[in-house]
Amino acid sequence: MVPALRYLVGARGRARGGLFGGFPGACGPASGRPRPLCGGGRSASTSSFDIVIVGGGIVGLASARALILRHPSLSIGVLEKEKDLAVHQTGHNSGVIHSGIYYKPESLKAKLCVQGAALLYEYCQQKGISYKQCGKLIVAVEQEEIPRLKALYERGLQNGVQGLRLIQQEDIRKKEPYCRGEEIRCQYVVTCAGLYSDRISELSGCTSDPRIVPFRGDYLLLKPEKCYLVKGNIYPVPDSRFPFLGVHFTPRMDGSIWLGPNAVLAFKREGYRPFDFSATDVMDIIVNSGLIKLAYQNFSYGVTEMYKACFLGATVKYLQKFIPEITISDILRGPAGVRAQALDRDGNLVEDFVFDGGVGDIGNRILHVRNAPSPAATSSIAISGMIADEVQQRFEL
């Protein structure tokens, strides 16, 4: 049989070409009804599917691809509430493919990121997707950050990350002429346009721990005439207490330079603007998660992030630690994204997958995949393989 994949978008949706090989451009008139993305001749019912995936972001689409490649006789539907695919987290990320240096050795994040990066490079080459290999510098700007930097280097070696080396101040200008730092660990990665970040969805009917809490990340833009100041990715030494990597410099495929993101609590699950607010979302976050405990434990960090989000001068002062030539007149406000972060009731940020299901006749046929760990864009093909394994085992495909 010819594989059949269909997806259902918003009532006035328009089908769009697939993000992955095996999902060619949609065919037929745009109607908002389930549509085949496989281009095959199989006539599948529009009211019945063997497998339905909720969420048309990169993880959902990658999972559909993995399942249809493994089980070509099944009909698979992808449900997306928006009129297009990849509208939320998938379409609001920085576009960086990570290498796996940041994550705890032997964790799913580390394994899937290293494996996923290799698969993604291979995929880009196979499909002719342009990417720019510009490297990354993780910069210590204070003496007390150097031990953390060296520990990060050792962690990267344990995770099997390739191309790592420590360099001294005199080598900084060879990589980034305008960058300053006490010591820099150089990691070669890829910045790739046309690939998207993670789409993490809290599926309906899933009420157990952990809960999903939205964090907004605001980006700034370096004015075009100042983009010469940055050649590759420049990152700070991250704070190991948080899953956020800190404000960084990211060159895009179009030549622009993104600065950020910060990490502030969003008061709406899809609140991309500073004053977006949903009373329902806020109450759900406060009542059903450990947000209050998280805020109490990290009050000063949260206040600092909020302050930098409101006042450009504070962010610029931080950026000047890395590139002193940047001034506030060189900066424009840019786009924002919302990260759906899993949080348990004790206020701990959950770092890895949470697989669970429902109860009863219907619940036993549901697999919830929550907190597909960032960086899920990098890891998406590897993540999809793990999800396909779990589906195959649970439902005995």
Side-chain angles (χ1 to χ4, degrees), residues 111-369:
K111 292 178 180 179
L112 293 173
C113 187
V114 173
Q115 179 188 359
L119 291 171
L120 204 49
Y121 300 154
E122 180 183 350
Y123 181 86
C124 288
Q125 293 168 359
Q126 289 177 349
K127 302 301 177 182
I129 298 175
S130 298
Y131 60 88
K132 180 180 180 182
Q133 188 168 0
C134 58
K136 175 191 286 187
L137 297 176
I138 298 180
V139 183
V141 294
E142 306 289 348
Q143 284 289 336
E144 56 266 27
E145 292 179 341
I146 292 179
R148 286 162 46 197
L149 184 67
K150 292 180 176 178
L152 195 65
Y153 172 76
E154 294 298 328
R155 173 173 284 191
L157 294 178
Q158 292 180 59
N159 289 345
V161 177
Q162 301 298 309
L164 299 181
R165 65 189 182 99
L166 288 165
I167 65 175
Q168 304 298 325
Q169 274 189 328
E170 58 267 23
D171 295 318
I172 293 175
R173 286 180 177 263
K174 297 178 182 179
K175 302 294 181 182
E176 291 287 347
Y178 296 94
C179 186
R180 307 292 184 269
E182 296 292 341
E183 185 173 1
I184 296 182
R185 200 262 331 137
C186 183
Q187 169 199 355
Y188 290 99
V189 296
V190 171
T191 298
C192 188
L195 297 172
Y196 302 93
S197 185
D198 42 332
R199 160 79 175 174
I200 307 174
S201 300
E202 181 179 20
L203 305 183
S204 60
C206 190
T207 58
S208 60
D209 283 339
R211 301 294 289 179
I212 301 298
V213 176
F215 287 88
R216 193 182 74 253
D218 300 304
Y219 285 96
L220 302 175
L221 303 177
L222 199 58
K223 289 184 177 179
E225 62 269 23
K226 292 292 185 176
C227 286
Y228 70 89
L229 293 172
V230 180
K231 293 184 177 297
N233 293 291
I234 302 174
Y235 278 63
V237 179
D239 188 330
S240 60
R241 296 173 300 168
F242 305 100
F244 312 110
L245 300 182
V247 173
H248 43 268
F249 301 74
T250 303
R252 302 279 291 184
M253 289 295 291
D254 60 4
S256 63
I257 305 294
W258 286 21
L259 313 172
N262 56 13
V264 297
L265 180 67
F267 296 102
K268 185 177 181 181
R269 293 193 184 278
E270 295 165 4
Y272 300 105
R273 296 170 298 185
F275 300 105
D276 283 349
F277 180 85
S278 167
T280 301
D281 289 350
V282 170
M283 288 301 298
D284 182 62
I285 293 167
I286 293 175
V287 173
N288 296 310
S289 76
L291 179 63
I292 294 177
K293 292 182 179 179
L294 176 69
Y296 177 78
Q297 295 164 4
N298 303 282
F299 181 77
S300 61
Y301 178 87
V303 170
T304 299
E305 288 296 295
M306 291 293 290
Y307 181 79
K308 288 194 294 186
C310 295
F311 300 99
L312 281 181
T315 302
V316 170
K317 185 177 180 180
Y318 174 81
L319 294 171
Q320 287 172 338
K321 293 182 178 181
F322 301 88
I323 299 182
E325 286 79 2
I326 290 179
T327 66
I328 195 169
S329 62
D330 299 328
I331 301 298
L332 300 171
R333 290 197 180 272
V338 176
R339 172 173 175 168
Q341 173 65 48
L343 183 69
D344 68 22
R345 292 184 181 274
D346 293 324
N348 300 311
L349 299 170
V350 179
E351 295 190 12
D352 269 335
F353 275 115
V354 178
F355 282 142
D356 58 18
V359 295
D361 182 55
I362 294 178
N364 288 332
R365 291 184 284 167
I366 296 174
L367 171 65
H368 295 291
V369 182

Side-chain angles (χ1 to χ4, degrees), residues 33-56:
R33 294 178 288 120
R35 309 176 46 128
L37 291 183
C38 61
R42 181 179 180 186
S43 177
S45 168
T46 59
S47 60
S48 178
F49 299 95
D50 298 308
I51 298 175
V52 171
I53 296 170
V54 181

Side-chain angles (χ1 to χ4, degrees), residues 76-91:
I76 299 175
V78 177
L79 304 183
E80 170 55 53
K81 69 173 185 176
E82 305 292 355
K83 66 179 182 179
D84 282 315
L85 299 173
V87 171
H88 293 294
Q89 286 190 180
T90 295

